[in-house]
Each structure stands twice: as C-alpha cells, then as structure tokens.
Amino acid sequence: MNSSTEADHGAASSDDAAVAGAPEKASAAVPGPPAPAERGVPRWRRTLRPYLLIVPALLLTGGILYPFGLGLYYTVFDFAASKPQPDFTGLENYRRIFTDSSFWDSAWVTVLYAVGAAAVETVLGVAVALLLHRSTLVGRVLEKVLILPLMIAPVIAAIIWKLMLQPSVGVVNYLLRPFGLGGVQWTDTPTGALLSSIAVDVWVYTPFVAILALAGLRSLPTSPFEAAAVDGAGWWFTFRKLTMPMLWPYVLVAVIFRFMDSLKVFDIIYALTEGGPGDSTVVLQIRAYLEAIRFQRYSFGLSYMIVLWAVVYLAAMVLVRYLGRIQSRAAEVPK
C-alpha cells in the first residue's frame, strides 16, 4: 500500500517537473519580446540600423579612394598646362621617372633624410624617456615641457629655425661665436642644408618618440626587474636583457610612424631650404610639387606621387610585419 502511494507521488512529481520544464524549453525556442527601448521601433528600422552605422566609414573610404583613383587615372595621360588636349600615354610617365637621374637623386636624399631623422629621434626619444621615467620633480616638470615642440606647426618651426640659423644675424651663430664657431653657413651648403633639415625634424618630433617610449616604460611589469635586482644584475644588463626587449614593440611603433612620415616630408624642408642649395634637399615630395605646380606638368607630378605612395606602402608593410614578430617575441619574456 505504501509502495503504491510512493509510486503515485513519484509519478506526480515527475509529471509536475515535466510540466514545469516545458515553458522553459518553449521560452528557449521562441525569442522573447523586444526590449522596452525597441518596442516602438519598426522592424525595418531595426534591420536597417547596422547598415546605417557603416555609412560614415564608407563615405570616408570613398573620399580617400576617389582622389587616389582619379590621380592614378591622370598618370596614364600627359596632362600639362601647355597641352590642353592630353593624349593617352600609358606607362610613359613612369618610364620617364625611372630613367631620369633626378628621380634617383631625390630618392637617395629621401632615404638619407628618413633614415637619419628616424634613427636620431629614436635614440634621443628613448634616452629622454629613460631620464623622465625616474619619479623626480624635475622629471615631472620636463614631461610637461616636452610636448611644446609638438604644439608648433612644423612649417612654423622650420621658419623659426631658418631665422635662428642665419649666418650673420642668427642666434645660433651668436651663441657659438665665443667658441670660434661663428659664421657657419648652416643651410648654404648641400651637407649643411640636409643636416639642418634633419635637426629641425629631430627637434619637432623627438618628443613624440619620447612620449610613446615613456608610456611603454610605465606599462612594463615590475616583477622581472625586481628579480634582476635581487640577483644583483647591473643597470646595463637589465637594460639590454629586460628593458629593451619588452620596450622595443612600443619603440617600433614610433619608428614606423616617424619613418613613414619622414619619407613624405615636405613642409620642413621646403620652409627651411626650398630644396636647395641646388637640388641637394629635393626629396620626392618636393620633386612632385615642382613638376606638378611650378613646371605645370600635372601628370608627371602625379606619377611621382604614386611612386612615393608605393614606396611608403611597401616600407610600412615590412615594418608592420617586423612589429608583429617583435611583439610575439616580447610576449615570451617572463612577466
């Protein structure tokens, strides 16, 4: 009697559990009502909303690709002020560029400028970041002052330095005169003009590298350095084996930005030397400007710009791939 009653209760409880679980399964299979904020929105608007969100990105992409495509189209013609009815020339403009000795001279100057500026800015930027990383009052004050060159437009900075480097009335020669170095022709010789342009670039953009390196230093884990200090490791060993391997991804990001920007420099060199003396500081960007604007050979100048774009794109691809390998290697450093 008792066993049958217990069986009946067990069957009833199992039936209740099945009935109770049925709504849960049904609710899992059938989507619930829309959220309160969505109830008054028509279905077609909810469907269209994700596509509307990408419209600004599409407009921005179109605004970039249309001028680029139009410029690429013009390079296969011979548009010029002296020829109002251009003819189709195919790749003739590119053939003229690569067979012109002035192109290779400008390319060499561009490489010298980009490599020199990026290298000096990297070394000085990391050194300044290491000095500012110490928690001192002077370091905190200098950290605020460090961004001042970045607040000045590069063309204005170049004009200021052009006045300061004047051989007769410039403040630089005035300060160097007691040391017997007064009267130096800073921008009147080919080597001096190139070095002066690199120096102005270094003055303007070294704080950019220093700020990125300083941010990287402050984000590094402290446990490896504490372990190295306990083991009695010196400063140079810690810097070479711990600091730089973990800091290098941050530094390489700054190098990529600065190297790419230096390859297409225009404002600093043109404001400081206008490409002179002679063609000693005519980089590819200035060469394109001279051909398209001053000589009014529009298609030829645009071809220079397309070649410069290809150079910057290839350099960026190589550096970004190297950055990926460096980041993977840095991730293997014990935290």
Side-chain angles (χ1 to χ4, degrees):
M1 186 75 178
N2 293 335
S3 60
S4 63
T5 304
E6 293 176 357
D8 293 339
H9 282 295
S13 60
S14 62
D15 293 339
D16 293 339
V19 172
E24 296 178 358
K25 295 180 180 179
S27 61
V30 179
E38 298 284 341
R39 287 174 182 171
V41 180
R43 183 179 180 83
W44 65 271
R45 289 182 58 183
R46 294 199 301 268
T47 305
L48 191 61
R49 183 179 300 169
Y51 300 98
L52 293 177
L53 293 176
I54 66 172
V55 169
L58 293 177
L59 292 177
L60 180 62
T61 304
I64 295 173
L65 293 180
Y66 176 74
F68 178 79
L70 189 62
L72 191 62
Y73 169 76
Y74 285 157
T75 60
V76 297
F77 291 88
D78 56 352
F79 282 95
S82 60
K83 194 168 188 179
Q85 298 296 329
D87 298 324
F88 178 80
T89 58
L91 300 178
E92 176 63 22
N93 288 320
Y94 297 101
R95 188 197 65 80
R96 288 175 55 196
I97 286 177
F98 290 113
T99 56
D100 189 0
S101 61
S102 61
F103 165 77
W104 298 106
D105 294 339
S106 298
W108 176 242
V109 174
T110 303
V111 171
L112 286 178
Y113 183 92
V115 173
V120 176
E121 289 164 10
T122 301
V123 174
L124 290 181
V126 173
V128 171
L130 290 172
L131 292 175
L132 296 181
H133 187 52
R134 300 176 180 273
S135 298
T136 61
L137 177 61
V138 177
R140 289 193 293 270
V141 172
L142 290 179
E143 183 180 346
K144 305 301 185 293
V145 178
L146 189 66
I147 64 173
L148 289 180
L150 294 175
M151 300 171 64
I152 303 175
V155 65
I156 301 300
I159 293 174
I160 293 173
W161 275 97
K162 184 176 183 178
L163 297 175
M164 293 172 61
L165 294 174
Q166 286 292 326
S168 56
V169 297
V171 67
V172 175
N173 278 345
Y174 176 78
L175 295 175
L176 293 178
R177 193 169 298 144
F179 304 97
L181 299 175
V184 178
Q185 306 291 326
W186 294 102
T187 59
D188 294 339
T189 62
T191 303
L194 182 60
L195 293 178
S196 299
S197 301
I198 293 175
V200 175
D201 196 296
V202 168
W203 183 83
V204 174
Y205 291 111
T206 294
F208 172 77
V209 181
I211 290 172
L212 286 183
L214 183 60
L217 284 171
R218 290 176 176 173
S219 67
L220 297 182
T222 58
S223 55
F225 299 96
E226 294 172 353
V230 170
D231 293 338
W235 179 88
W236 175 245
F237 180 86
T238 304
F239 174 77
R240 185 166 52 92
K241 295 296 184 178
L242 291 177
T243 304
M244 278 311 298
M246 291 189 289
L247 183 64
W248 184 237
Y250 300 92
V251 176
L252 190 57
V253 170
V255 171
I256 291 174
F257 277 103
R258 291 305 315 133
F259 185 71
M260 290 172 57
D261 198 38
S262 298
L263 282 176
K264 53 188 181 64
V265 66
F266 176 83
D267 43 10
I268 290 178
I269 292 181
Y270 193 80
L272 188 66
T273 66
E274 296 186 8
D279 290 343
S280 58
T281 56
V282 175
V283 294
L284 289 176
Q285 191 90 330
I286 293 181
R287 180 71 65 184
Y289 165 79
L290 295 176
E291 293 291 345
I293 305 302
R294 183 170 295 182
F295 305 144
Q296 297 183 343
R297 296 194 286 259
Y298 310 123
S299 293
F300 196 53
L302 281 170
S303 301
Y304 264 98
M305 292 304 301
I306 296 298
V307 171
L308 178 60
W309 168 83
V311 171
V312 175
Y313 180 76
L314 293 175
M317 283 185 59
V318 173
L319 290 174
V320 168
R321 288 184 179 180
Y322 180 64
L323 174 62
R325 292 197 296 268
I326 290 296
Q327 288 176 336
S328 301
R329 195 177 307 164
E332 299 175 358
V333 177
K335 299 292 191 295

